[in-house]
């Protein structure tokens, strides 16, 4: 079936907001609280800000205590089994709260429920769940919630049909912070890496229009945000579906042109699509952070091919080298999967070798998790859990050692950071980020949160840098 992009009209979103106002009116003065619990990636964090935006328009305040909440929304992840197990465990636990609070509404949304077998599981084994809806239905949340909230007798609603390619603009947002903001530039993924469930649950790639993105970025800057992270599963293919002559590098430049003192970050980049133009643009745009999250997944060419990644280790190394040529201070981070079906100990060693060559500033390492319906789930897998765990431990040791060494190189240097929050620790009460995104702990006045400052790095460890304001 040909894929059709479905733009949700502003009128449809206004209609959802009218439903929010209607709910607000019907519930009247009665104080009410909602809890939104988020699993998984930044895209999900961004989606939860939309759920909270709608809920705020319905008159809900927010809590993190399930026993206080009138509405609970669990926004789920499907990337690995571990996340799904945590979701199911925590949803199961909610029956205590629901017993004490009859009439409490429990909704489960996000990637996990978009898989048929998971929706079935919720239907059959989790009767406390009232509402289930997939990521592409999020824009209809008010209408869906209304249908369970005011049903004459208890009604369960499941909206988990196939992804319909929806792109919705203008959903009200309630952002989590006041310094850093997420900004989705595209949804879905077309890459079908053989291990990954994302293309099945988030549907095909679709880009937001550049004018909508730039408008939102402008609003963020005007509201005082200093650190904007552009989000997409593969930002390097931004714009391809729009039929206009704007690629991701062009988009970066448009946002860079917005007046103000702020930083632009983005994730995730696919190595097959990263271009010299992108690296040059990052180097030329003064607001673009010198940070690149470039998942390599494996350092072995046979495994990369079996993963359907469309690059080999040489191409990856060339990309990293080229990016560093344009930005010698570039921070490069990566994702790696250990124990992909059929990976041998020797093939795994190629991954360790690649990490030693690139010297990533940070690595996010995962043990392969079998996902229903993906091609890799059908591939023979001889390695034992113990073997995979040994590989994982070895990779983690390598990652930690390299991060520690890279961090030590910062000691004695003075650099500009963005102070973004409190740590709650007396010695180093503030947290901040370098231009490249490395964490720096500081001591200083909380009034500095949201401002840029010069710091001298005095010490470091594997996970963070420690600095003094200068
Ligand atoms: N098993 C383990 N890790 C996975 N990832 C994606 N799918 C799987 C899976 N089935 C990892 C990849 C990706 C990151 C977001 O999650 O490394 O880059
Ligand atoms: Fe999954 Fe690959 Fe798409 Fe990333 S690029 S979301 S790993 S299919």
């Amino acid at each position: 079936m040909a894929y059709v992009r479905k733009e949700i009209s502003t009128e449809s979103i206004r209609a959802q907001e009218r439903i929010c106002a209607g709910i607000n009116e019907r519930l009247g003065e009665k104080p009410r609280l909602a809890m939104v619990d988020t699993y998984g990636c930044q895209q999900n964090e961004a989606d939860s800000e939309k759920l909270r935006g709608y809920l705020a328009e319905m008159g809900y305040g927010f809590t993190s205590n399930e026993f206080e909440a009138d509405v609970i929304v669990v926004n789920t992840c499907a990337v690995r089994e571990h996340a799904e197990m945590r979701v199911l465990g925590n949803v199961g636990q909610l029956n205590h709260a629901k017993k004490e609070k009859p009439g409490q509404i429990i909704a489960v949304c996000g990637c996990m429920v978009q898989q048929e077998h998971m929706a079935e599981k919720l239907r059959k084994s989790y009767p406390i769940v009232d509402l289930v809806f997939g990521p592409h239905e999020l824009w209809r949340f008010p209408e869906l919630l209304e249908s369970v909230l005011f049903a004459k007798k208890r009604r369960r609603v499941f909206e988990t049909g196939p992804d319909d390619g929806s792109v919705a603009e203008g959903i009200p947002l309630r952002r989590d912070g006041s310094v850093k903001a997420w900004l989705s530039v595209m949804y879905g993924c077309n890459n079908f890496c053989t291990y990954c469930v994302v293309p099945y649950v988030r549907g095909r790639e679709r880009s937001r229009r550049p004018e909508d993105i730039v408008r939102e970025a402008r609003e963020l800057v005007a509201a005082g945000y200093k650190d904007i992270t552009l989000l997409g599963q593969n930002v390097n293919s931004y714009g391809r579906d729009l039929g206009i002559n704007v690629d991701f590098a062009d988009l970066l430049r448009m946002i860079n042109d917005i007046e103000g003192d702020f930083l632009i970050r983005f994730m995730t980049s696919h190595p097959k699509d990263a271009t010299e133009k992108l690296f040059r643009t990052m180097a030329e745009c003064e607001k673009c952070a010198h940070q690149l999250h470039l998942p390599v997944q494996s350092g072995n060419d046979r495994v990369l091919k079996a993963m359907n990644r469309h690059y080999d280790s040489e191409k990856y190394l060339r990309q990293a080298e080229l990016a560093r040529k344009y930005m010698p201070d570039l921070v490069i981070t990566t994702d790696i999967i250990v124990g992909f079906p059929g990976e041998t100990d020797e093939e795994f060693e190629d991954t360790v070798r690649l990490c030693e060559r690139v010297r990533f500033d940070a690595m996010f390492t995962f043990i392969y998790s079998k996902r229903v319906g993906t091609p890799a789930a059908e591939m023979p897998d001889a390695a034992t859990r113990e073997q995979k765990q040994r590989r994982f431990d070895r990779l983690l040791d390598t990652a930690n050692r390299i991060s520690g060494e890279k961090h030590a190189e910062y000691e004695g240097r003075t650099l500009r950071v963005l102070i973004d929050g409190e740590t709650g620790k007396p010695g180093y009460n503030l947290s901040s980020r370098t231009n490249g995104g490395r964490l720096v702990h500081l001591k200083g006045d909380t009034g500095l949160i949201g401002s840029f400052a010069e710091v001298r790095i005095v010490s470091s460890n594997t996970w963070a840098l420690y600095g003094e304001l200068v």
Side-chain angles (χ1 to χ4, degrees):
M1 197 182 74
Y3 167 73
V4 191
R5 171 194 178 92
K6 178 169 146 197
E7 293 197 10
I8 308 302
S9 69
T10 334
E11 184 37 47
S12 307
I13 300 299
R14 292 298 85 80
Q16 295 296 322
E17 291 193 271
R18 281 197 295 279
I19 295 174
C20 294
I23 294 175
N24 194 17
E25 202 164 295
R26 261 181 96 169
L27 295 177
E29 296 297 301
K30 185 175 152 259
R32 47 191 172 275
L33 292 172
M35 172 175 129
V36 179
D37 197 9
T38 312
Y39 295 78
C41 66
Q42 288 78 10
Q43 189 66 56
N44 258 18
E45 298 282 348
D47 283 350
S48 286
E49 293 181 342
K50 294 179 183 165
L51 293 165
R52 285 200 195 90
Y54 274 142
L55 286 161
E57 293 201 352
M58 297 173 203
Y60 286 91
F62 294 94
T63 176
S64 51
N65 179 348
E66 67 221 46
F67 290 91
E68 279 177 11
D70 301 285
V71 172
I72 297 176
V73 189
V74 185
N75 190 5
T76 65
C77 171
V79 167
R80 283 172 292 274
E81 189 184 12
H82 179 69
E84 292 186 332
M85 288 302 151
R86 270 177 54 224
V87 167
L88 292 176
N90 291 343
V91 170
Q93 284 299 313
L94 292 178
N95 68 357
H96 302 297
K98 191 148 181 158
K99 244 182 234 143
E100 284 189 23
K101 222 171 160 42
Q104 183 181 58
I105 302 285
I106 300 178
V108 185
C109 65
C111 294
M112 186 185 99
V113 309
Q114 191 60 34
Q115 307 168 97
E116 229 165 273
H117 68 283
M118 278 297 173
E120 257 330 280
K121 198 179 197 106
L122 289 168
R123 194 194 297 278
K124 292 219 178 89
S125 312
Y126 294 80
I128 57 165
V129 173
D130 300 282
L131 170 62
V132 172
F133 58 99
H136 63 287
E137 308 279 12
L138 188 144
W139 69 273
R140 294 173 55 218
F141 173 55
E143 164 194 343
L144 298 172
L145 184 63
E146 182 185 46
S147 71
V148 293
L149 208 46
F150 300 123
K152 289 227 173 55
K153 66 184 224 293
R154 184 174 180 240
R155 197 173 150 215
R156 302 180 78 197
V157 171
F158 281 68
E159 289 282 344
T160 54
D163 182 274
D164 60 1
S166 63
V167 183
E169 291 296 338
I171 297 179
L173 280 175
R174 216 186 120 105
R175 295 191 191 270
D176 286 340
S178 55
V179 182
K180 297 194 277 192
W182 310 120
L183 204 178
S184 300
V185 303
M186 57 199 300
Y187 310 103
C189 182
N190 285 356
N191 291 310
F192 290 95
C193 301
T194 52
Y195 50 81
C196 187
V197 78
V198 169
Y200 304 89
V201 293
R202 287 230 175 225
R204 293 296 66 71
E205 241 165 57
R206 56 248 191 213
S207 308
R208 291 179 66 194
R209 298 193 178 277
E211 58 273 25
D212 292 325
I213 297 168
V214 172
R215 186 186 322 113
E216 191 173 336
R218 221 179 246 122
E219 287 164 7
L220 287 171
V221 174
Y225 287 91
K226 297 280 187 267
D227 186 316
I228 300 176
T229 303
L230 310 179
L231 298 178
Q233 296 298 341
N234 174 17
V235 294
N236 301 121
S237 54
Y238 172 80
R240 278 186 203 163
D241 57 315
L242 284 174
I244 55 173
N245 201 12
V246 175
D247 64 13
F248 185 65
D250 300 329
L251 182 70
L252 277 182
R253 212 176 272 281
M254 288 179 199
I255 299 173
N256 189 68
D257 285 343
I258 298 172
E259 222 157 288
D261 194 8
F262 65 97
L263 283 170
I264 311 164
R265 306 184 195 277
F266 58 87
M267 64 195 312
T268 290
S269 294
H270 196 304
K272 83 179 161 67
D273 298 317
T275 59
E276 180 157 12
K277 178 179 171 186
L278 172 70
F279 303 146
R280 194 185 336 111
T281 307
M282 287 174 74
E284 285 171 6
C285 291
E286 74 285 359
K287 289 165 194 154
C288 216
H290 287 188
Q291 174 183 14
L292 186 67
H293 184 59
L294 197 65
V296 65
Q297 312 296 3
S298 165
N300 175 268
D301 293 342
R302 190 201 65 79
V303 173
L304 285 170
K305 204 166 169 65
M307 287 177 162
N308 193 32
R309 292 288 290 178
H310 297 283
Y311 56 84
D312 58 15
S313 55
E314 268 314 307
K315 172 161 175 176
Y316 187 92
L317 288 164
R318 275 202 311 278
Q319 294 265 22
E321 208 171 293
L322 186 62
R324 280 190 174 136
K325 197 180 95 197
Y326 279 99
M327 294 163 283
D329 61 344
L330 182 68
V331 165
I332 306 186
T333 57
T334 202
D335 292 342
I336 292 180
I337 297 177
V338 170
F340 182 80
E343 181 191 71
T344 64
D345 281 330
E346 294 74 54
E347 288 170 338
F348 166 73
E349 286 305 316
D350 285 340
T351 300
V352 179
R353 268 190 288 276
L354 181 132
C355 295
E356 297 281 5
R357 279 183 72 182
V358 180
R359 290 181 62 74
F360 294 107
D361 292 84
M363 291 160 52
F364 301 90
T365 50
F366 310 102
I367 292 186
Y368 168 76
S369 170
K370 194 176 194 165
R371 305 286 69 205
V372 174
T374 59
E378 311 298 322
M379 296 177 188
D381 191 3
T384 62
R385 180 80 209 177
E386 291 67 41
Q387 258 174 319
K388 293 186 180 193
Q389 188 65 47
R390 265 203 305 279
R391 289 177 205 165
F392 181 82
D393 292 345
R394 171 146 152 68
L395 192 62
L396 198 60
D397 285 346
T398 308
N400 287 344
R401 177 176 46 75
I402 296 173
S403 285
E405 287 166 6
K406 292 225 118 178
H407 280 167
E409 292 166 15
Y410 285 87
E411 289 177 23
R413 284 175 54 196
T414 298
L415 33 87
R416 188 170 183 250
V417 297
L418 172 62
I419 301 176
D420 59 9
E422 284 184 78
T423 61
K425 290 185 201 114
Y428 284 99
N429 62 322
L430 297 178
S431 68
S432 67
R433 294 273 166 182
T434 67
N435 178 297
R438 306 316 296 149
L439 174 63
V440 184
H441 292 301
L442 295 172
K443 191 176 159 83
D445 194 284
T446 50
L448 291 169
I449 293 171
S451 55
F452 289 97
E454 293 285 321
V455 301
R456 204 175 69 84
I457 305 301
V458 292
S459 66
S460 71
N461 59 29
T462 304
W463 299 277
L465 307 170
Y466 295 82
E468 290 170 350
L469 291 163
V470 296

